[in-house]
């Protein structure tokens, strides 16, 4: 199974993806985590990405598609299945991902879109204490989400059922809802 988790910053994609990966035995691929590790290790990618991340903007599509292509190209992703968290974030990335999926023969794709209102997202992001969680960056990230990432949901909805999940409430309950949908037993599955 290949799962794509969509949703705005702060909605809980990381937390939910981790839980899903544990429960369903899927590989968890978070592009934000890959970038944060690169920043920490001061690799060339990290040095390039640091300022962009701190401003709340997006790292270039070319770099991100390369990272994801590499991450998906092993046998393990094929045999085990995976959950993509934080990618795609632009239409260009979504189109590139279609090609990668075709090339690698990934054809059991499930799309989950987690939702919450802006005031909830701002509160959560401001309480997280991450380096890219200052008020200015948070506002910018939400703006970038609306302009560049929200259209990705519409793009997928033309080809797949997109499962919209309310991201406000008890983490475990939300997670059970997502797992049900992924197993095909959810009301909207
Ligand atoms: P996240 O942990 O998913 O919130 O990602 C943190 C930051 O990493 C984002 O604000 C972007 O600057 C960068 N980033 C992560 N994933 C992507 C992506 N798919 N495309 C572009 N930039 C990304």
């Amino acid at each position: 199974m290949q799962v794509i988790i969509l949703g705005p910053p702060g909605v809980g994609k990381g937390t939910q993806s981790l839980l899903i990966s544990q429960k369903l035995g899927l590989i968890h691929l978070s592009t934000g985590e890959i970038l944060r590790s690169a920043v920490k290790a001061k690799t060339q990618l990290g040095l390039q990405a640091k300022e962009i991340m701190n401003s709340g903007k997006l790292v270039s599509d070319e770099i991100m598609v390369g990272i994801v292509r590499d991450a998906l190209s092993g046998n393990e992703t094929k045999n085990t299945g995976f959950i993509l968290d934080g990618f795609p974030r632009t239409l260009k990335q979504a189109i590139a991902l279609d090609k990668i999926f075709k090339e690698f023969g990934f054809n059991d794709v499930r799309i989950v879109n987690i939702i919450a209102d802006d005031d909830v997202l701002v509160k959560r992001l401001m309480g997280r204490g991450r380096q890219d969680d200052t008020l200015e960056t948070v506002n910018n990230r939400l703006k970038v989400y609306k302009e560049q990432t929200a259209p990705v949901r519409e793009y997928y909805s033309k080809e797949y059922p997109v499962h919209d999940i309310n991201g406000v409430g008890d983490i475990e309950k939300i997670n059970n809802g997502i797992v049900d949908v992924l197993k095909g037993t959810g009301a909207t599955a």
Side-chain angles (χ1 to χ4, degrees):
M1 180 192 303
Q2 300 90 38
V3 183
I4 297 172
I5 298 282
L6 301 172
V11 82
K13 294 190 296 295
T15 306
Q16 293 298 337
S17 298
L18 186 65
L19 288 170
I20 297 163
S21 70
Q22 290 164 350
K23 288 184 190 169
L24 299 184
L26 302 170
I27 295 170
H28 178 202
L29 275 173
S30 155
T31 47
E33 282 302 325
I34 292 172
L35 292 172
R36 277 187 288 281
S37 300
V39 170
K40 221 173 168 184
K42 295 194 168 72
T43 62
Q44 203 195 342
L45 168 66
L47 296 173
Q48 266 178 293
K50 190 175 175 186
E51 294 308 316
I52 301 172
M53 292 170 79
N54 283 344
S55 70
K57 291 189 188 141
L58 296 181
V59 174
S60 82
D61 290 330
E62 205 183 352
I63 291 178
M64 295 314 300
V65 170
I67 290 174
V68 168
R69 197 174 191 289
D70 275 358
L72 294 181
S73 62
N75 270 336
E76 211 190 335
T77 42
K78 183 143 212 177
N79 299 336
T80 312
F82 56 85
I83 174 157
L84 262 181
D85 158 17
F87 187 97
R89 255 179 162 96
T90 65
L91 284 177
K92 275 195 179 158
Q93 292 179 12
I95 291 164
L97 190 63
D98 279 346
K99 281 196 190 144
I100 293 172
F101 277 12
K102 277 207 184 93
E103 183 186 344
F104 295 163
F106 296 141
N107 53 17
D108 187 12
V109 182
R110 322 283 173 96
I111 318 275
V112 172
N113 182 46
I114 312 179
I115 343 177
D117 287 339
D118 276 7
D119 53 337
V120 175
L121 300 173
V122 172
K123 224 184 249 170
R124 283 196 195 163
L125 289 165
M126 293 303 295
R128 225 159 49 162
R130 224 167 69 181
Q131 215 180 351
D132 56 347
D133 287 341
T134 64
L135 186 58
E136 197 188 344
T137 307
V138 163
N139 283 329
N140 207 18
R141 294 175 72 201
L142 289 174
K143 186 167 166 265
V144 166
Y145 168 78
K146 279 175 195 153
E147 288 172 1
Q148 302 193 52
T149 309
V152 171
R153 187 212 171 279
E154 306 319 311
Y155 173 82
Y156 280 126
S157 68
K158 294 191 180 115
E159 203 181 337
Y160 302 98
V162 174
H163 304 288
D164 291 309
I165 300 276
N166 175 12
V168 185
D170 179 71
I171 289 175
E172 196 56 43
K173 272 194 195 143
I174 295 169
N175 196 255
N176 288 336
I178 299 176
V179 169
D180 281 351
V181 152
L182 291 177
K183 285 182 170 167
T185 55
T188 55

